[in-house]
């Protein structure tokens, strides 16, 4: 409780007091699952679990955003135990930031590197002759998602598969 006394030049006095002031200097608790950055691309939407609590003034909000050109953003709805989740669906490698704020204005933030690639790779082949020839040069153009090329193999009829991932000029 804070008491204040004010006196003016004429000698008039007023005394006031507050009903109480609660000072909360402690930031909210915040935990995410996954607890670490993604090191590999995953081929599905990613659900992020959140746990947040603030024993002082209580939680005001938990929000998330990504650093993409068009960010994924939202408010995380927590249950009575302070747990909630949300799903990220965009392909790419980007940083997620989750911020918990309490009613006193204190904040805690956590970041995670997210890697999602749900794009099925494709291969465009050019130079494929329609007539019988003794030799032909083919162009192979992989169409890939954000995770890039891991493995590209070719095989002649009846032959063994050959990995040409490192170079398309290996003399196949």
């Amino acid at each position: 409780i804070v008491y204040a006394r004010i006196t003016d030049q004429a000698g008039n006095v007023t005394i006031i007091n507050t009903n109480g002031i609660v000072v909360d200097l402690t930031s909210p608790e915040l935990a995410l699952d996954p607890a670490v950055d993604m090191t590999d691309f995953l081929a599905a939407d990613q659900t992020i679990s959140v746990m947040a609590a603030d024993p002082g003034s209580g939680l005001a909000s938990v929000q998330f955003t990504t650093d993409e050109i068009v960010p994924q953003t939202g408010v995380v709805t927590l249950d009575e135990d302070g747990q909630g989740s949300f799903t990220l669906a965009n392909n790419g490698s980007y940083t997620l930031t989750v911020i918990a704020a309490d009613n006193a204005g204190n904040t805690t933030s956590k970041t995670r590197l997210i890697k999602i690639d749900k794009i099925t790779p494709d291969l465009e082949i050019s130079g494929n002759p329609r007539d019988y020839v003794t030799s032909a040069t083919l162009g192979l153009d992989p169409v890939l998602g954000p995770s890039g090329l891991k493995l590209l193999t070719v095989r002649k009829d009846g032959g063994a598969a050959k990995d040409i991932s490192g170079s398309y000029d290996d003399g196949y």
Side-chain angles (χ1 to χ4, degrees), residues 34 36-42 93 112-116 147:
V36 296
D37 290 341
M38 294 181 175
T39 55
D40 296 318
F41 277 88
L42 300 176
S93 177
R112 294 290 179 272
L113 179 62
I114 304 296
K115 292 183 171 188
I116 299 173
S147 63

Side-chain angles (χ1 to χ4, degrees), residues 19 71 83 104 166:
N19 291 333
Q83 297 184 21

Side-chain angles (χ1 to χ4, degrees), residues 17-157:
N17 66 286
T18 65
N19 291 333
I21 296 175
V22 177
V23 177
D24 178 359
L25 300 175
T26 305
S27 297
E29 299 168 7
L30 178 63
L32 304 179
D33 184 19
V36 296
D37 290 341
M38 294 181 175
T39 55
D40 296 318
F41 277 88
L42 300 176
D45 294 349
Q46 294 304 300
T47 298
I48 309 297
S49 298
V50 177
M51 188 291 299
D54 186 82
S57 60
L59 282 172
S61 68
V62 177
Q63 300 180 11
F64 70 90
T65 188
T66 61
D67 68 349
E68 302 163 277
I69 293 172
V70 178
Q72 300 173 78
T73 62
V75 174
V76 182
T77 302
L78 303 176
D79 62 19
E80 61 277 354
D81 295 325
Q83 297 184 21
S85 65
F86 59 93
T87 300
L88 299 173
N90 291 358
N91 286 308
S93 177
Y94 46 86
T95 300
L96 163 71
T97 302
V98 180
I99 301 171
D102 68 16
N103 290 308
N106 300 306
T107 61
T108 300
S109 66
K110 302 275 185 180
T111 60
R112 294 290 179 272
L113 179 62
I114 304 296
K115 292 183 171 188
I116 299 173
D117 183 358
K118 301 178 291 184
I119 299 171
T120 303
D122 197 4
L123 187 62
E124 295 176 359
I125 301 174
S126 61
N128 191 3
R130 298 183 197 283
D131 298 322
Y132 291 102
V133 294
T134 57
S135 68
T137 300
L138 301 177
L140 303 175
D141 186 18
V143 178
L144 305 166
S147 63
L149 178 66
K150 180 177 181 180
L151 179 65
L152 175 58
T153 60
V154 293
R155 175 176 66 84
K156 293 180 185 176
D157 251 353

